[in-house]
Amino acid sequence: MKSKKLLPYIIAIAIFIFASLTYFYPVLKGQKIAQSDITQFRGMVKEINNFRADKNTEPYWTGASFSGMPAYQISAYYPNDFVRSIDRTFRFLPRPADYTFLYFLSFFVLMLALKIEWRLAILGALSFGFSTYLIIIFGAGHNAKAHAIAYMPLVLAGVLWVFQKRYILGFLVTGFGLALEIYTNHPQMTYYLGFCLLILVVVEFINAIKEKLLPVFIKQSVVIIAAVLLGIGANSSRLMAMKEYGDYSTRGKSELTITPDGSVKEAAVGLDKAYITEYSYAKLETFNLFIPRFMGGGTVEKLENSSELYKVIETKLGKKGADYFTDQALTYWGDQTIVEAPAYIGAVIFFLFFLGLFLVKGRLKQWLLAATVFSILLSWGRNFEGLTNFFIDYVPLYNKFRAVSSIQVIAELCVPILGVLALKEFFSLKISSEEKIKALKKSLYAFGGLIFIGFLLAHSFSTFEGIRDTTYLNIEKEYNIIGVLDAVIADRKAMLLIDVLRSLFLMLLTAGVLWMFLKSKLKQGIAILIIAVFVLFDLVSVDKKYVNKDDFKSSRKIEKPFIASNADKLILQDKTHFRVGNFSVNPMNDGSTSYFHQSIGGYHAAKMMRYQELFEYQIAKNNMQVLNMLNTKYFIVDNDKGEKQAQQNPDANGNAWFVENVKVVNSANSELQILDSLNTKVSAVIDKSKLLDNVNFNFEKDSTATIKLINYDVTELTYRTKTEKEQFVVFSEIYYKDGWNAYIDGKLTNHFRVNYVLRGMKIPAGEHEIEYKFEPKVIQQGGMISLFSYISIILVFVVWFFYGKKTRGELI
């Protein structure tokens, strides 16, 4: 009997493994997917990985990027992080098949929580996991985002079980699910999940008031809050480190009230509004959730030989020229700067979503509809400024995240849930055939009408012109070809028409299957299978346009993505400790240099705020004194032939140096501005407002004083000094007070932030050994809380297992 009960779950897991490996079949040949963000990430983590391998411990700091920064948000393993082992157990397939499998499995558990029959649960899982947005993020390398999205359904399953009064099961699944969700280290997706949960709680609260069940709701809320706290507690080190660093990062508050040109700016907390809303969905663009190429698809698309652009180009430049210009045609005509692909949820599943609106009753529908609408409205960003500005200005943490369009992940989750609930009700014997037929007709009219309205709106209010269309005007001029842009616009209109007809056709096919089931011409199992095939065809055929076998490369090329140039090889011959400024690329958006050298740049979305400001206000203006104080011994630049070449900077200040005087100022503005003209070899500047005590910075110059770096080990730096008088030394290392401790001859000693980002220290006369050690307290403190949280969860499970037999029917 037990084997029969387990069989559906075994079948489901087998299908999920098969689907994941079939879509990403190159992994079976040992290939790996090429991901631009991950390529840059490999450059950023190389020093961390090397340290980890050599020392068998965590550095929690890297000196290879941005002249030095905490490794918390780059790559860090934390003590008592048992959730990592749980996660690795689930993700046993090669990447990215592991994340896809996790999509399926997590959503399947959610379907079970909703009491969905196993075949429909599999259909729902496939519709969620193959949703285009969830697949295309692999191409860009947004692995952490995919990881976080994958655990969202699991958390929802636990919360729903609690609201079903299955308290222990719900508590455990919510606790472990949230622990896994937070572990993925993508706060933005977890934050959006919070909105989805909040809407569910509000709906349940309103129902509790109506039904006079507030005591029950309070009990359920306590269980959920307890599970949430333990899920958070299990990630204490990670969250505490994130919070600590967040205050110093570009997500924190700037102390500056001036712009790089010296004009006044308003002090702000969080990211700039323009930056937050750079990726905003146009209202009309929302139609591509169920019409894939409503706005032309991705930024670039390959056009067929029958396209208008191909024909126009071919008349002047022949087949070769036409092939070249249509291989990556600029078909997207929205206003987002880059679009990898449309966030297509699917015409089939969206039709079922509409069927659910007319067939499903109760709180679940209210929650799913409200959450879907909420996510779509907020995804409009700058195109719906009133709502967006309200959230940025007044909703906690909302201004910490950019790319507001990605909040559509809530819709990506809710639409298939309601779609599957619709099928559950449609196949239920509790609803009459007449009611089902009415719902089916209303869904056809509503969804079909919406598709048709979208088509009319596009043609009535749009010119189908894109933000990059000057490219085609330039082609017309350069090659003397008439009508290139007109041809592209014609192709965009054709793509819209084709995909409108495609969505309508899939809608009608799905409705036809359901009608045939009602007329007893198809059995339920066959009807489910056919709809599942429609869902797979609908989604996979779109997915394959954007992520396919062409995105895979040999493991060797992925694991070692960067090849040292002649400039790199020349610099690598220098075995001293220094930094490199690579200006052949954008240094603040580059992980390749960190792969080989200690770089003044890097690749990360949450750089240290002060370092970003130093770049914008000083390095971007080519202030050599600032570059010198960062010990930039080499520059990489392009020569006349576009080849990278190394240039040695003989004026770099070195690892540490004594200054003749310290200039004391009263604000961050003054501290940064004085760097405009400061001779960093001779003078240092310090912001007095940040000093806890009055410090005397007067001293006599000692021309015989010496200081030398005798050991660099990422988290431990050792210097030897010799002076006849007390001196002040500047270290070319980034100041970070919550971790770096300074010792003189083993005694803890105060050090200061100087020159806006560096470290400075008063050195007593004589011969001394100075050590800097990175000793972040937050790691050990968080580790103890994590351990306590795991023990608490395990105790709850043990109590339930051994002592809950009498009440298990009530509890689970």
Side-chain angles (χ1 to χ4, degrees):
M1 287 295 292
K2 288 185 178 180
S3 60
K4 287 185 179 180
K5 289 182 178 180
L6 290 175
L7 185 60
Y9 308 115
I10 294 171
I11 292 173
I13 291 172
I15 289 174
F16 299 155
I17 293 173
F18 177 78
S20 302
L21 292 176
T22 300
Y23 188 92
F24 294 110
Y25 69 88
V27 300
L28 299 174
K29 298 185 289 184
Q31 295 182 342
K32 294 188 176 182
I33 191 168
Q35 301 172 294
S36 57
D37 278 8
I38 300 304
T39 297
Q40 299 293 336
F41 166 78
R42 290 185 186 278
M44 292 281 289
V45 300
K46 188 168 184 290
E47 181 187 60
I48 298 170
N49 289 338
N50 290 345
F51 185 96
R52 191 178 284 152
D54 293 342
K55 308 289 184 179
N56 195 30
T57 188
E58 285 296 299
Y60 300 116
W61 182 269
T62 176
S65 303
F66 304 114
S67 300
M69 67 179 289
Y72 304 144
Q73 291 300 300
I74 302 173
S75 176
Y77 300 157
Y78 296 99
N80 302 324
D81 197 12
F82 303 117
V83 71
R84 180 168 176 264
S85 299
I86 299 172
D87 173 71
R88 290 173 71 87
T89 301
F90 289 142
R91 294 193 299 110
F92 58 89
L93 294 177
R95 189 170 298 173
D98 59 342
Y99 291 127
T100 315
F101 173 78
L102 202 55
Y103 287 157
F104 298 146
L105 182 63
S106 183
F107 198 88
F108 184 76
V109 174
L110 174 58
M111 293 289 95
L112 297 181
L114 289 168
K115 302 175 183 178
I116 302 295
E117 189 257 340
W118 68 275
R119 292 171 298 180
L120 286 178
I122 292 173
L123 186 154
L126 294 173
S127 67
F128 172 71
F130 280 128
S131 183
T132 301
Y133 182 75
L134 273 59
I135 296 297
I136 62 170
I137 55 180
F138 295 132
H142 298 164
N143 290 351
K145 180 184 287 187
H147 203 176
I149 292 171
Y151 281 123
M152 285 182 175
L154 187 63
V155 178
L156 287 176
V159 172
L160 287 169
W161 267 317
V162 173
F163 281 126
Q164 293 170 14
K165 301 181 182 179
R166 302 180 70 178
Y167 294 114
I168 300 299
L169 178 62
F171 172 85
L172 291 172
V173 174
T174 302
F176 276 115
L178 189 62
L180 288 162
E181 170 67 31
I182 295 172
Y183 164 76
T184 64
N185 199 30
H186 200 292
Q188 185 171 5
M189 293 300 106
T190 305
Y191 182 71
Y192 291 160
L193 172 62
F195 281 130
C196 191
L197 288 170
L198 181 61
I199 294 170
L200 172 61
V201 170
V202 169
V203 170
E204 290 289 340
F205 174 68
I206 293 172
N207 178 73
I209 293 176
K210 289 181 179 179
E211 301 295 329
K212 299 181 179 179
L213 294 172
L214 269 180
V216 176
F217 174 81
I218 292 171
K219 179 181 179 181
Q220 293 165 338
S221 299
V222 169
V223 172
I224 292 170
I225 291 170
V228 167
L229 290 176
L230 289 178
I232 292 172
N235 288 276
S236 293
S237 294
R238 180 173 292 102
L239 292 173
M240 290 170 67
M242 183 191 302
K243 172 61 176 68
E244 176 193 279
Y245 176 67
D247 294 337
Y248 296 100
S249 77
T250 50
R251 264 62 173 173
K253 181 179 180 180
S254 173
E255 298 176 46
L256 299 180
T257 58
I258 55 171
T259 63
D261 62 7
S263 58
V264 178
K265 75 168 185 177
E266 292 184 6
V269 178
L271 301 173
D272 178 73
K273 284 185 180 180
Y275 185 65
I276 292 171
T277 61
E278 178 183 359
Y279 293 96
S280 299
Y281 249 55
K283 295 173 184 175
L284 201 59
E285 195 168 0
T286 305
F287 282 93
N288 73 13
L289 297 178
F290 45 86
I291 304 172
R293 295 180 300 173
F294 184 90
M295 277 197 165
T299 299
V300 295
E301 297 268 340
K302 181 177 175 58
L303 295 179
E304 302 298 328
N305 295 0
S306 57
S307 67
E308 293 300 316
L309 179 61
Y310 192 97
K311 294 174 184 176
V312 169
I313 298 291
E314 187 180 29
T315 58
K316 194 75 175 181
L317 300 179
K319 185 179 184 303
K320 188 175 181 179
D323 288 337
Y324 176 80
F325 283 109
T326 57
D327 184 59
Q328 289 191 319
L330 300 171
T331 55
Y332 174 71
W333 48 277
D335 60 1
Q336 295 191 77
T337 52
I338 299 175
V339 175
E340 295 290 339
Y344 182 61
I345 296 176
V348 175
I349 202 68
F350 233 107
F351 169 68
L352 295 175
F353 173 82
F354 270 79
L355 181 62
L357 295 180
F358 297 109
L359 205 56
V360 177
K361 309 296 181 184
R363 305 191 301 278
L364 285 175
K365 181 180 74 173
Q366 296 166 4
W367 161 51
L368 294 168
L369 177 59
T372 300
V373 172
F374 170 84
S375 68
I376 290 173
L377 293 179
L378 277 176
S379 75
W380 290 345
R382 64 174 180 269
N383 300 308
F384 197 24
E385 282 191 334
L387 182 64
T388 300
N389 289 342
F390 173 82
F391 271 75
I392 291 173
D393 294 335
Y394 299 108
V395 177
L397 302 179
Y398 195 81
N399 62 0
K400 304 292 185 181
F401 308 112
R402 65 179 303 226
V404 293
S405 60
S406 60
I407 200 172
Q408 284 185 349
V409 295
I410 297 177
E412 301 275 349
L413 180 57
C414 293
V415 169
I417 295 175
L418 187 54
V420 175
L421 287 173
L423 287 177
K424 175 188 176 183
E425 295 300 317
F426 198 87
F427 292 129
S428 171
L429 298 176
K430 297 179 181 179
I431 301 176
S432 67
S433 296
E434 291 76 15
E435 190 175 350
K436 292 174 184 177
I437 290 174
K438 287 181 181 178
L440 193 59
K441 288 180 179 178
K442 290 178 180 178
S443 306
L444 281 168
Y445 298 149
F447 186 55
L450 188 61
I451 293 173
F452 186 64
I453 288 171
F455 181 77
L456 292 180
L457 288 174
H459 280 272
S460 300
F461 298 100
S462 303
T463 62
F464 290 85
E465 294 177 352
I467 58 176
R468 293 180 174 83
D469 283 354
T470 52
T471 300
Y472 291 112
L473 295 176
N474 293 334
I475 291 173
E476 290 180 354
K477 293 178 182 179
E478 183 176 353
Y479 296 100
N480 193 25
I481 307 175
I482 298 174
V484 175
L485 180 56
D486 291 338
V488 172
I489 290 174
D491 288 326
R492 291 168 180 165
K493 291 179 178 179
M495 293 169 80
L496 171 60
L497 176 61
I498 291 169
D499 281 4
V500 161
L501 295 175
R502 178 187 186 275
S503 293
L504 287 171
F505 182 64
L506 287 168
M507 176 194 72
L508 291 171
L509 284 177
T510 306
V513 170
L514 294 176
W515 181 84
M516 290 177 71
F517 166 76
L518 282 179
K519 297 301 179 181
S520 301
K521 295 182 180 181
L522 284 177
K523 292 183 178 180
Q524 179 178 327
I526 299 299
I528 293 173
L529 179 61
I530 293 173
I531 293 173
V533 170
F534 288 168
V535 167
L536 289 173
F537 167 79
D538 184 15
L539 294 172
V540 173
S541 62
V542 175
D543 296 342
K544 284 291 185 180
K545 291 179 181 291
Y546 304 102
V547 178
N548 51 53
K549 62 181 179 62
D550 296 333
D551 295 298
F552 285 81
K553 295 181 181 178
S554 68
S555 296
R556 181 183 59 81
K557 290 183 178 179
I558 298 299
E559 295 293 337
K560 297 182 178 180
F562 304 111
I563 299 174
S565 65
N566 290 332
D568 292 320
K569 292 175 182 177
L570 178 64
I571 296 171
L572 288 170
Q573 293 176 15
D574 189 333
K575 301 304 180 183
T576 60
H577 178 59
F578 55 86
R579 296 195 182 91
V580 175
N582 187 353
F583 290 97
S584 68
V585 294
N586 179 354
M588 298 298 278
N589 198 32
D590 160 57
S592 64
T593 309
S594 301
Y595 190 80
F596 300 107
H597 315 290
Q598 302 278 294
S599 175
I600 66 168
Y603 186 89
H604 201 271
K607 312 169 186 69
M608 290 185 71
M609 171 73 80
R610 280 185 164 248
Y611 197 82
Q612 176 70 38
E613 291 168 343
L614 183 76
F615 184 88
E616 293 174 356
Y617 289 67
Q618 298 295 342
I619 299 175
K621 298 176 182 178
N622 199 30
N623 186 330
M624 285 302 299
Q625 285 293 331
V626 169
L627 289 166
N628 290 340
M629 79 178 194
L630 294 176
N631 195 20
T632 315
K633 189 175 181 180
Y634 292 93
F635 298 110
I636 298 176
V637 295
D638 287 331
N639 61 20
D640 295 338
K641 297 179 181 179
E643 300 168 335
K644 296 182 188 298
Q645 65 177 20
Q647 294 179 350
Q648 187 169 355
N649 174 23
D651 298 321
N653 290 9
N655 300 302
W657 61 97
F658 294 105
V659 294
E660 298 178 9
N661 60 82
V662 176
K663 299 179 183 297
V664 179
V665 296
N666 295 315
S667 69
N669 287 345
S670 300
E671 186 182 7
L672 189 55
Q673 284 179 317
I674 203 171
L675 290 175
D676 290 346
S677 56
L678 189 75
N679 183 340
T680 57
K681 288 184 176 65
V682 175
S683 303
V685 58
I686 192 166
D687 181 0
K688 186 179 180 180
S689 67
K690 296 297 179 290
L691 298 179
L692 297 177
D693 302 307
N694 290 325
V695 181
N696 183 1
F697 291 106
N698 296 321
F699 53 89
E700 293 183 39
K701 177 183 176 182
D702 180 0
S703 60
T704 66
T706 61
I707 183 167
K708 183 179 180 181
L709 175 69
I710 60 174
N711 178 61
Y712 173 84
D713 199 21
V714 184
T715 59
E716 293 188 17
L717 294 84
T718 306
Y719 305 82
R720 188 164 291 144
T721 67
K722 184 177 181 181
T723 65
E724 295 182 357
K725 304 173 184 178
E726 183 183 61
Q727 298 292 290
F728 193 89
V729 65
V730 176
F731 300 89
S732 185
E733 299 295 335
I734 297 300
Y735 179 88
Y736 188 78
K737 74 171 183 177
D738 291 319
W740 280 105
N741 292 321
Y743 300 86
I744 297 180
D745 299 328
K747 182 180 179 180
L748 184 64
T749 306
N750 287 336
H751 69 289
F752 313 98
R753 182 173 59 207
V754 300
N755 294 5
Y756 206 67
V757 297
L758 299 183
R759 306 174 199 168
M761 182 190 291
K762 292 176 68 176
I763 305 296
E767 296 185 16
H768 302 284
E769 186 172 273
I770 301 172
E771 291 179 286
Y772 275 103
K773 296 181 180 181
F774 192 59
E775 301 169 318
K777 294 180 181 179
V778 69
I779 303 300
Q780 294 304 320
Q781 293 171 348
M784 294 305 297
I785 298 173
S786 295
L787 183 60
F788 172 79
S789 300
Y790 284 117
I791 292 173
S792 299
I793 293 175
I794 291 170
L795 284 175
V796 170
F797 178 78
V798 170
V799 170
W800 163 67
F801 186 80
F802 287 104
Y803 300 103
K805 292 182 179 180
K806 293 182 180 180
T807 56
R808 190 165 297 171
E810 176 189 347
L811 293 176
I812 67 168

